[in-house]
Amino acid sequence: MMIETKLTSKKPARSELHAIAVCSDQLDSIDLDVDKKTLKLTGFDAAAGQISITQSSSGPCGLIGMGASEGITDTTFRQAGTVLARATKGFKQISVDFSSLLVEGVSARSATQALVEGLYLGAYEYTKLKSDPKPTQLQLVSIVGSGREMGSGLDRGISTSRGVNLARDLVNQPGGELTPVVFARIATKIAKEHGLSIKVLDAPAIKKAKMGGLLGVNRGSTQQPRFVQLTYRPKKASKKHLALVGKGITFDAGGLSIKTAQGMSTMKCDMGGAAAVLGTMSVLSDLSFPTRVTGYIPLTDNMLGGDATRPGDVLKIRNGKTVEVLNTDAEGRLVLADALSLASESKPNGIIDLATLTGACMVALGNEYAGLMGTDSDLINQLKEASEATGEGIWELPLPVSYRAQLDSDVADMKNIGGSYGGAITAGLFLKEFVAEGTPWAHIDIAGPAFADTPWGNHPKGGTGYGVRLLLNFIENYG
Ligand code: BES
Ligand code: ZN
Ligand code: ZN
C-alpha cells in the first residue's frame, strides 16, 4: 500500500473526489454544493461512521458523518478516515476537508493524526498471497489545512499506522512461513532500518541463558527457537528505562495437550504480542520519543513432535523457579517467564508484557477489550489513560494473592495451570512469579483483540495490530 498523505492549503485541482466531514447539527446550516433533500432521502443524517458519495457541480463529492458536534473525539476522526478510505478505493487522488470541525476543544494535531491513522488502517488489506489481488487505487490523499500542529499530526499518523500495519502483516503471515528464525530475520531488518540495536539468541545461546521455559516449549518442534532483544536509545540520554515483552508463539498447536481443529485454526495469531512489541519499537526513532525502551521477544512454535514436553515434566525457568507442566497448551506463560526474568535483571522502571495468553480472557471481555493486570497502580493507570486516548480497549482484572494456591504443585515450585475458573487471572499470577520484587509490572492479555474473526472498527478480518497505538501513546507520556 503506497498511499501518500499530505497537507494542502486548498482543494487541489487534480483531486478526483473531495470529501467534507460534517457533524449532524451542522447539516442543515452548512453550505454544501449537493442537494440536501436527496441526501436526506438516502438516509444520510451525518451520524458518526456514515459516508455518502454524491455528485456536486464540481465533481464527485464525499460527505462524512461525524455525529453530534459535542460528541466528537479522536475516535470519530479515526473512524472518518477509515470509512473514507474504504468508500473511495477506486479513486486515485482524493482530498478531504474537516476544517469546520476544528473548533475549540478539538486539537488539530490529534484530529489530523487520528484521521490519517484511520485512512491507513482502513485501507489495509493482506493480499500478499492472492494471485489476483484488487488493491486500493488510492495514491494520494490531500488534507485541507496547514501549520505545525497539523503537520506533526500527519507525521505521527503515518508513523503509528506503519507500526500497526507491520504488526498486522506479521500476525497474518502463515505460521508455517513465519517461523522463529524468519521472525528474527525480519526483526533484524527492522532494527537496521529504524535505528535499534538488536541481539538474537539461537538455541545454544538460549540454553546458555538458562531459558528452560522457552526450550521446554520448543522441544516438540523441528523449528529452531530464537530470543530477540531490541533496544531503542533516544538521542538525549533518558532517565527512564522501559521493558516490553511480547509472547512470540509463531504457531500454537497446543503441544501434546493438543487443541481442537477449530481452536487451532487461528493460532498463527499467537505471536500477536511479539508483533505489537516489534511494531511499536519500529516507530520509536521516527517519533524521537525520550525514553529508552528494550523489547524482549521469545520465539518458538508449540508443536507435538516425538520428544515434546510431556504433561508432568518439570522445567526450570531462568530465575531458578521450577514449573510442573500439566497442560502443554499453557505454553505462553512458560516462554514469558524466561523473558520476564531476563527483563527484570536490567532493573527497568517498568515492564509491560503483551500476550495472546488465555481463552478465559476472551470469554470475560470479548474481542474489543484486552485484560490488564499488574503490580503497580501508576503503571496501570497510565495504561488506562493510553487506552482512553487511543480507543484501544483495556479492562483491569484483579490479581488476588488468595488465588495463588491454585498454582501449587506437588513436585515443583508451581504448576502451569490453575483451576477451572478465573484462567486469565491465574495466568497473570503465574507471570508475576517471574518479575523481580519491586519492579513495576503490567500484563496485557490480548487473546481477544489481537485477531479479528469478523471485521470491526478499522480492522479487516485477521491481525489487528492491537497494542501498538496503545503502547506508543503510553511511551510518549511516560518519559
Ligand atoms: N494461545 C492460547 C490462548 C488463546 C486462545 C489466544 C484463543 C487467542 C485465542 C494459549 O496458549 C492457550 O492455549 N491457553 C490455554 C490455557 C489453559 C490450558 C490453561 C487456554 O486459554 O485454553
Ligand atoms: Zn496454548
Ligand atoms: Zn498460546
Side-chain angles (χ1 to χ4, degrees):
M1 184 175 39
M2 292 297 291
I3 303 174
E4 189 194 343
T5 41
K6 64 173 194 192
L7 298 182
T8 172
S9 54
K10 60 178 196 331
K11 176 185 164 187
R14 280 207 308 212
S15 166
E16 297 161 354
L17 175 140
H18 186 64
I20 302 164
V22 282
C23 51
S24 48
D25 33 303
Q26 252 181 350
L27 191 55
D28 287 328
S29 55
I30 195 171
D31 189 19
L32 291 174
D33 182 19
V34 295
D35 178 28
K36 283 193 192 162
K37 208 170 139 203
T38 315
L39 189 67
K40 283 192 182 162
L41 287 173
T42 65
F44 184 85
D45 57 6
Q50 271 187 338
I51 185 157
S52 169
I53 308 286
T54 57
Q55 192 67 20
S56 73
S57 59
S58 58
C61 161
L63 290 173
I64 310 171
M66 300 293 282
S69 52
E70 74 262 19
I72 293 179
T73 63
D74 286 353
T75 303
T76 325
F77 282 100
R78 201 171 295 106
Q79 188 182 27
T82 294
V83 295
L84 178 62
R86 289 184 178 165
T88 57
K89 283 180 68 175
F91 294 88
K92 289 200 175 67
Q93 303 203 2
I94 64 169
S95 48
V96 54
D97 186 350
F98 56 86
S99 51
S100 76
L101 303 168
L102 292 180
V103 290
E104 240 183 66
V106 177
S107 142
R109 185 176 88 162
S110 67
T112 309
Q113 177 179 347
L115 185 106
V116 171
E117 285 172 0
L119 277 168
Y120 283 106
L121 300 180
Y124 175 87
E125 288 169 312
Y126 187 72
T127 54
K128 286 191 180 110
L129 304 171
K130 298 254 191 205
S131 49
D132 185 19
K134 295 186 178 60
T136 177
Q137 298 297 301
L138 272 180
Q139 291 171 358
L140 177 65
V141 181
S142 306
I143 299 167
V144 178
S146 59
R148 264 222 350 242
E149 288 291 293
M150 283 185 80
S152 127
L154 178 76
D155 291 345
R156 281 154 175 273
I158 294 171
S159 295
T160 45
S161 39
R162 185 182 49 66
V164 177
N165 284 341
L166 165 66
R168 287 171 165 185
D169 272 347
L170 289 166
V171 169
N172 287 331
Q173 195 167 345
E177 206 185 283
L178 186 70
T179 60
V181 170
V182 173
F183 190 111
R185 230 179 260 146
I186 295 173
T188 306
K189 184 166 164 271
I190 300 270
K192 272 210 189 97
E193 287 169 1
H194 296 283
L196 308 167
S197 58
I198 183 165
K199 210 159 84 184
V200 178
L201 308 188
D202 60 8
I206 292 168
K207 230 168 257 163
K208 217 168 137 206
K210 298 192 158 80
M211 297 191 177
L214 179 55
L215 290 170
V217 175
N218 184 250
R219 231 173 117 158
S221 179
T222 52
Q223 298 295 329
Q224 292 292 305
R226 288 290 183 269
F227 189 95
V228 169
Q229 189 176 327
L230 299 141
T231 306
Y232 163 73
R233 282 184 188 78
K235 294 219 171 69
K236 259 199 230 148
S238 75
K239 287 196 200 81
K240 285 195 175 170
H241 178 211
L242 188 70
L244 302 178
V245 175
K247 172 177 171 182
I249 299 294
T250 54
F251 184 76
D252 183 9
L256 289 174
S257 315
I258 190 169
K259 286 186 181 294
T260 60
Q262 166 82 13
M264 211 187 285
S265 62
T266 57
M267 279 304 126
K268 66 176 182 182
C269 81
D270 214 18
M271 31 56 72
V277 170
L278 184 58
T280 301
M281 304 269 329
S282 79
V283 180
L284 296 174
S285 59
D286 276 26
L287 300 182
S288 308
F289 282 172
T291 306
R292 179 157 64 98
V293 183
T294 307
Y296 298 86
I297 306 180
L299 293 156
T300 176
D301 49 6
N302 185 27
M303 305 295 278
L304 36 146
D307 195 32
T309 291
R310 297 121 175 107
D313 282 356
V314 174
L315 306 176
K316 190 175 204 168
I317 306 299
R318 181 175 165 92
N319 75 348
K321 293 193 183 177
T322 54
V323 179
E324 183 186 11
V325 178
L326 285 178
N327 188 321
T328 62
D329 197 12
E331 84 298 338
R333 61 196 76 183
L334 301 171
V335 305
L336 290 168
D338 281 326
L340 289 168
S341 303
L342 181 67
S344 293
E345 289 165 25
S346 67
K347 299 192 168 36
N349 302 93
I351 303 180
I352 301 171
D353 76 74
L354 283 93
T356 46
L357 204 61
T358 65
C361 198
M362 291 177 84
V363 171
L365 300 176
N367 269 309
E368 298 189 15
Y369 283 80
L372 172 64
M373 287 147 263
T375 51
D376 185 84
S377 55
D378 285 343
L379 193 57
I380 298 266
N381 288 332
Q382 288 159 15
L383 283 164
K384 286 181 183 169
E385 281 164 26
S387 166
E388 281 294 316
T390 57
E392 293 210 297
I394 210 166
W395 197 255
E396 189 178 358
L397 302 174
L399 281 180
V401 279
S402 54
Y403 288 17
R404 169 60 181 80
Q406 294 183 40
L407 297 172
D408 287 347
S409 157
D410 296 339
V411 299
D413 296 334
M414 71 197 90
K415 54 184 181 172
N416 76 330
I417 47 168
S420 311
Y421 303 115
I425 292 172
T426 45
L429 285 167
F430 181 95
L431 296 181
K432 188 176 161 209
E433 297 283 325
F434 302 93
V435 180
E437 198 71 38
T439 300
W441 160 74
H443 158 56
I444 307 180
D445 190 331
I446 61 170
F451 194 86
D453 295 311
T454 48
W456 64 275
N458 58 55
H459 311 300
K461 275 189 188 181
T464 60
Y466 177 95
V468 174
R469 293 192 302 105
L470 178 91
L471 286 176
L472 286 171
N473 183 281
F474 169 84
I475 296 167
E476 176 174 19
N477 297 313
Y478 185 71

